Amino acid sequence: MHKPNLDEAADLSLKVVSLSRPSSFSGKIEDAHGKHKEFSAHVRIIAASHFLPFSIAVSEETPTEPYQWKVSRRSGHTAMYAGIRSLSDNPNADCTHVGWIGNYKDLKGEEHSCDDLSHDSRSNICNELEKYDAVPVFVDESTANGHYEGYSKQILWPLLHYMSWSDSNPMKPAWWDCYNKVSKTFAAAISAIYKEGDIVWIHDYHLLLLPEMFRALNPKATIGLFLHSPFPSSELFRSLPNRKEILYGMLGSTSIGFQTYSYARHFLSSCTRVLGLESTPTGIDNMGNMVAIGVFPIGIDARQVQERRSLPAVQAKMKSLREMFANKRIIIGRDRLDEVAGIKQKLEAFEKFLEMYPEWQNNVVLIQVTQPGQTRQPKLEAKISELVTSINSNYGSLEFMPVMYHHTFLNTDEYMALLNIADLCLITVIRDGMNTGSLEYVVCQQDKHSPLLLSEFTGTAGSVSGAIQINPWDYQGVAQAIDTALRMSPEEKKVRYKEMYRHVMNHDAQYWATTVIQDLRATVLAGQSSSVTPKLDMALFVKGFKASKRRMIMLDYDGTLTPITNIPAQALPPPEMLEALRTLCADPRNFVSVISGRDRAFLELHLGDIEGLALSGEHGSFIRYPGGEWINLLAEMDMSWKDEVLSIFEFYTERTVGATIEAKETSITWHFRNTDPEYGEFQAKECMNHLENSVVSKRPVEILVGKKCLEVRPISVNKGEIVKRLMGANPKQWDFVVCAGDDKTDEDMFRSLRTIKRSVAGNVGGEEGQHAVSTSVGTGTNWSSTSMRLPPYYFTITVGPPDKRSAAAWHVSSSHDVVEALMLLAACDNNAE
């Protein structure tokens, strides 16, 4: 399909960003583009952003409805749009862009909402945009305003840029409703064109709820989310009232990308502290689903900047500016009029520079261009005007003003001309996810090699190694850096510039987009190729139960029969679980036991009244058969090691707020679930090292790392030994065995049962037995799919995600699923009666 070329007529306000990846490029721009690899297999990508990269206007041919339309490129977000557009250039990729179309322009150039357009006029918009591989999302004016001008700009944008949301306008409940509604509208629009196998790539803070909403409609979809803005520390982010909804919305993704590692680290910390989820530097366990986290700093469309800077119109502007500022050194700055842009800090530092280095007075001009920010800020505008007036009054004259301040949209030719002739680019933003000017400036400085002063708080600071990094609040330091840059020798300029140029040209927007998609595909393929434990086959589970005559059911307690709680004493058995256990224990064909890490007193209190139920406490240290008394299996063992362990645990408890000690008869546990998540993990590692050096190396004990706890127990004690004891000397008597657990202590049970299954299958005579032996274990940690479906039925079930490393044959997602499975078996027993 022919695609109209809009680039020639585009009046672009270039706003692009950077990419911090190892530099390996030296050469021409064409070489950089040649380095992009094609996708190994065909991929269909659906990119979603708040705005489409197009705007629409009524065609002169249709003055009345139904309208025909003219399409032009929308300014802004150039790097993102360029990266998305570049994906279609890959021969093995198709890319469709979904987004809000915004308002349209009538024949007079006046803007109107699309709300009142006829159905045919809207259909014509869709047909016209289809030529550009774009799908419009229509949002009514009120909802769009509450979503974009309200929640996105007044709440999320300030918060993500380290400005507390309470410092902006008070949040209106309707804004949050609009933010939800827009995400739902996008989810429906994408679902309408989605096909299995497509990659959905969602962009920026306007659509943070979309991944979870789209996942609800398409559970198996591959979803990438890229956040172009910063992500604040957890201490600031947790002040957001809708913090959990935002985080869970983002975690609907398969993979989440950030500009810098620090932003990714802050996000991980927020998930840990706000949601209580476990994380690693590369991913988050979202209730069984691993969400990958990556760092992919964005690049600019270097080719377009290269072409634009050489246009005759730009050269004419350059000549005019050189004549205007003849014999002057030119410092340029271009920013949005926002607090985070650091314009105030820039002017303060420039004034300090003129004060400290009087020899530069009348010889240096700062050309500062600003454009409207996210919100109107009269106080900031007044302060900047005051500073400009002060500097020009103190250091200027009728013939010359040291600060040329322009608060207007600068056309692209003028901007390119400024970047070409500048002697120094000064960027003093105090928080920025990506920074346009720095990379554009580098591309435009191929002739002069002028230095770049770059705030260390930009997302590009870690990428552009040849830049001079500055702290915008250190006015004297910035003043000194300006002087250093203006006096820099041509040789040093060239060396610094070469480093910056190589990075910018080697890591453009196309490289960024391709890298993100390739990484997302690799994440999906890695998940598919890893050892996955299948979900419990409920039909087979019930079938095996009904067909059997002797059944062994062994169950863990915490995390298996009840959810994990912050306070262990609150993990009480639900009524439906107790009822299911009573029903199963009443059937003489069933032997039911709970094998827990809890002490005898807890088990006796909550489960002791169930007739026919066997209990084992403290990970196999005690056992109570139905109708019998508790038996201490470690009665003859030396327990003097407990005092040493207790003193070490007390040492770390005193130094770790929220940590507790649980002293049992045969073991001691140190809990850190209620501590600061990061500090608790650190202290647990320190404590474990202390134990290994002081106790474990000298005593017959071992350390068990559980869920937010460390347990020290005798080395001969584990749940696997209890399983062997319960299965007895003749395990062939059991033709249906169930064992369910959720953590590392339960893996001993699964391994014991796998060994027992082998021996039972090996003793079966005939051809059937030989087949069972050959398929009873299979390769890897899981049992073979064949043996799991052959009698005797052994159902070892782990609670957790399918990719969790486990010796179990099956998995369920939560303790609720375990209880439901028991209720199904209990229902079978009731029906049999």
Side-chain angles (χ1 to χ4, degrees), residues 710-776:
L710 297 178
E711 179 167 335
V712 180
R713 67 183 186 184
I715 204 164
S716 60
V717 174
N718 63 67
K719 292 182 178 181
E721 296 301 315
I722 290 294
V723 165
K724 294 176 184 176
R725 180 183 288 263
L726 294 176
M727 291 291 286
N730 182 25
K732 287 191 294 182
Q733 63 179 304
W734 310 106
D735 51 359
F736 181 84
V737 178
V738 176
C739 182
D742 72 304
D743 67 11
K744 294 180 181 179
T745 64
D746 304 311
E747 294 298 317
D748 293 328
M749 296 196 292
F750 303 149
R751 283 188 285 268
S752 293
L753 284 174
R754 188 166 58 179
T755 301
I756 293 171
K757 171 80 174 187
R758 273 203 200 99
S759 66
V760 170
N763 291 328
V764 176
E767 192 174 315
E768 181 184 346
Q770 294 303 312
H771 177 73
V773 171
S774 66
T775 62
S776 63

Side-chain angles (χ1 to χ4, degrees), residues 482-770:
I482 294 173
D483 178 68
T484 299
L486 292 176
R487 298 180 189 275
M488 190 177 291
S489 67
E491 292 77 17
E492 184 178 353
K493 286 182 182 179
K494 191 171 183 179
V495 170
R496 286 180 174 274
Y497 180 77
K498 184 178 179 180
E499 287 295 316
M500 295 189 290
Y501 181 80
R502 180 169 54 188
H503 167 78
V504 174
M505 304 308 284
N506 199 35
H507 300 88
D508 61 2
Q510 181 181 352
Y511 177 88
W512 163 73
T514 303
T515 302
V516 172
I517 297 301
Q518 287 178 332
D519 187 84
L520 184 55
R521 296 183 76 193
T523 298
V524 174
L525 291 173
Q528 292 173 347
S529 62
S530 64
S531 178
V532 175
T533 306
K535 188 173 183 179
L536 177 62
D537 185 335
M538 296 303 296
L540 180 65
F541 188 61
V542 173
K543 174 187 172 183
F545 182 80
K546 289 180 177 179
S548 58
K549 297 179 180 179
R550 291 283 288 158
R551 305 149 177 166
M552 171 64 74
I553 302 173
M554 295 171 283
L555 308 164
D556 172 48
Y557 185 78
D558 288 290
T560 304
L561 293 178
T562 63
I564 295 291
T565 61
N566 288 337
I567 301 175
Q570 293 179 347
L572 304 179
E576 59 271 20
M577 181 267 281
L578 295 174
E579 184 61 30
L581 289 180
R582 287 191 178 92
T583 302
L584 291 170
C585 289
D587 187 340
R589 293 174 294 178
N590 304 332
F591 186 95
V592 185
S593 61
V594 172
I595 306 173
S596 173
R598 294 282 189 161
D599 58 27
R600 291 185 291 176
F602 182 91
L603 295 175
E604 194 69 54
L605 175 63
H606 296 290
L607 302 173
D609 65 337
I610 300 178
E611 187 175 346
L613 178 66
L615 298 173
S616 176
E618 300 193 23
H619 299 297
S621 300
F622 297 90
I623 191 169
R624 193 205 72 175
Y625 291 99
E629 298 295 326
W630 283 97
I631 302 172
N632 184 352
L633 301 178
L634 301 176
E636 305 301 323
M637 183 169 285
D638 178 16
M639 293 290 175
S640 59
W641 54 267
K642 290 179 65 178
D643 292 335
E644 296 179 61
V645 172
L646 182 61
S647 65
I648 294 174
F649 278 169
E650 286 175 342
F651 174 86
Y652 284 94
T653 300
E654 291 171 359
R655 290 159 177 78
T656 313
V657 176
T660 58
I661 300 172
E662 182 184 6
K664 306 173 186 177
E665 293 183 60
T666 59
S667 64
I668 306 179
T669 305
W670 189 69
H671 295 277
F672 57 95
R673 180 170 297 279
N674 295 321
T675 67
D676 178 274
E678 296 177 5
Y679 187 62
E681 291 285 353
F682 171 78
Q683 287 291 77
K685 291 176 182 177
E686 292 293 306
C687 181
M688 189 161 63
N689 290 335
H690 195 163
L691 289 168
E692 287 173 345
N693 294 328
S694 302
V695 180
V696 176
S697 59
K698 306 170 186 176
R699 300 279 196 157
V701 295
E702 63 181 348
I703 304 171
L704 189 68
V705 182
K707 291 184 177 179
K708 301 291 183 181
C709 68
L710 297 178
E711 179 167 335
V712 180
R713 67 183 186 184
I715 204 164
S716 60
V717 174
N718 63 67
K719 292 182 178 181
E721 296 301 315
I722 290 294
V723 165
K724 294 176 184 176
R725 180 183 288 263
L726 294 176
M727 291 291 286
N730 182 25
K732 287 191 294 182
Q733 63 179 304
W734 310 106
D735 51 359
F736 181 84
V737 178
V738 176
C739 182
D742 72 304
D743 67 11
K744 294 180 181 179
T745 64
D746 304 311
E747 294 298 317
D748 293 328
M749 296 196 292
F750 303 149
R751 283 188 285 268
S752 293
L753 284 174
R754 188 166 58 179
T755 301
I756 293 171
K757 171 80 174 187
R758 273 203 200 99
S759 66
V760 170
N763 291 328
V764 176
E767 192 174 315
E768 181 184 346
Q770 294 303 312

Side-chain angles (χ1 to χ4, degrees), residues 213-231:
M213 290 182 178
F214 186 77
R215 172 88 51 208
L217 299 175
N218 305 275
K220 296 183 179 180
T222 299
I223 304 172
L225 171 66
F226 189 85
L227 188 64
H228 294 263
S229 70
F231 197 93

Side-chain angles (χ1 to χ4, degrees), residues 434-497:
M434 39 184 180
N435 188 272
T436 305
S438 60
L439 304 183
E440 293 171 340
Y441 175 76
V442 169
V443 175
C444 291
Q445 281 290 322
Q446 295 175 52
D447 301 323
K448 296 190 67 173
H449 305 156
S450 297
L452 169 65
L453 263 59
L454 184 62
S455 166
E456 62 188 69
F457 300 103
T458 62
T460 58
S463 313
V464 190
S465 58
I468 300 174
Q469 291 196 19
I470 54 175
N471 177 357
W473 282 280
D474 180 8
Y475 300 152
Q476 183 170 329
V478 175
Q480 291 172 345
I482 294 173
D483 178 68
T484 299
L486 292 176
R487 298 180 189 275
M488 190 177 291
S489 67
E491 292 77 17
E492 184 178 353
K493 286 182 182 179
K494 191 171 183 179
V495 170
R496 286 180 174 274
Y497 180 77

